[in-house]
Structures are given as structure tokens and as C-alpha cells.
Amino acid sequence: MRFCDVRLPVAALGLLICGCAATGRLAREEANLPKAQVNARGLFLENCATCHGRDGRARTIHGRLLGAQNLTDRNWRQTTSTAAVIHAIQTGPGPMPAFGHKLSESEIEALAAYVRTLGGR
Ligand code: HEC
């Protein structure tokens, strides 16, 4: 039982972070597209939804384990700028992976704009 208590969650977390580190197919395909042509929702589902959920509410196992931000939260939305969202995607705050080298600049900008629409306009 002691093994399960400590090592299993740690191993699961390691796997989870490694799993999220690989660049997705859509991210590679759209890397050279201009921002307006990027499928931001598709990229969100591919790269972000495991933790933040398909709806951005972070009600997923990974999201709960890591404490992912609920992107629809009204207070968070009002106090967070688009620049801060872009910065977070590039650098990955806390346990969130950084996407600065996995996504192109236009993909990141399109994703940030998409994140801003979560929870309604
Ligand atoms: C492995 C899980 C995971 C994945 C994948 C992930 N995130 Fe996160 N994200 C987190 C966690 C955990 C936090 C909270 C980090 C903290 O504040 O310590 C977070 C925070 C954020 C924040 C809030 C930053 C702030 O300044 O308040 C934004 C925006 C965000 N993520 C966007 C995204 C986007 C967009 C993607 C996909 C490109 C993504 N995340 C992928 C786990 C993840």
C-alpha cells in the first residue's frame, strides 16, 4: 500500500507530463499558416484540453491533479490580459508545459484569442 501511496502518483505525473510534451499532428501541420487560418479550437483540443478540458473549465483528471486554471472563470478572465495568456502558453507556468517551441507564433496568438472566448464574450 505504501508503494501506491507515494510512487504511483509520482510516476503517473511523470508520464502525464511526458505525454503532453510531444507536439501534436495539427500543431505541426498548421505551424506555417497565418494566424487567421489557424484552427484554434482544434489546437486547443489537441494540446490543452487534457488539462483545461474541452470547455476550458479544467474539470479533467489531469486538470484536477495539476491544478490547471479554469479558463472560463469570470474573475480570472477579467484580471488576465491577452499578453499574459500568450506568455503563459509560451512559458508554461508551474506544472503546465511550455509551448514556445512546440507551437508557432501565429498558433499561439490564435490560441490566446480562442482562450479569450471561453466562458462567453
Ligand atoms: C499538463 C497540463 C496542462 C496542459 C497540457 C496545458 N495547461 Fe495551461 N495550465 C496548467 C496548469 C497546471 C496551470 C496553472 C499553472 C499555475 O498557475 O501554477 C495552467 C495555467 C494556464 C493559464 C493561466 C495562466 C495565468 O497567467 O493565469 C493559461 C492561459 C493556460 N494554462 C493556457 C493553456 C493553453 C492555451 C494550453 C494549450 C496550448 C495549455 N494551457 C495546456 C496545465 C496545463
Side-chain angles (χ1 to χ4, degrees), residues 1-45:
M1 200 54 207
R2 218 169 286 150
F3 175 80
C4 296
D5 284 348
V6 189
R7 297 203 202 156
L8 207 59
V10 171
L13 207 67
L15 266 179
L16 193 154
I17 290 168
C18 291
C20 293
T23 309
R25 185 182 56 82
L26 190 64
R28 285 196 306 274
E29 282 175 6
E30 304 212 325
N32 295 318
L33 291 185
K35 182 181 160 186
Q37 286 174 31
V38 167
N39 174 1
R41 179 170 162 78
L43 282 177
F44 187 84
L45 295 179

Side-chain angles (χ1 to χ4, degrees), residues 16 19-24 26-27 39-64 66 68-71 85 88-90 96-99 102-103 107-108 110-112 114-115 118:
L16 193 154
C20 293
T23 309
L26 190 64
N39 174 1
R41 179 170 162 78
L43 282 177
F44 187 84
L45 295 179
E46 181 181 79
N47 297 281
C48 322
T50 11
C51 293
H52 291 284
R54 298 171 66 86
D55 59 3
R57 290 180 195 277
R59 290 185 184 154
T60 66
I61 293 170
H62 292 186
R64 283 174 209 248
L66 298 175
Q69 175 65 48
N70 171 1
L71 303 173
V85 173
I89 299 172
Q90 285 169 335
M96 174 173 153
F99 288 89
K102 293 175 209 155
L103 300 173
E107 284 176 326
I108 290 175
L111 262 173
Y114 177 73
V115 164
L118 294 169

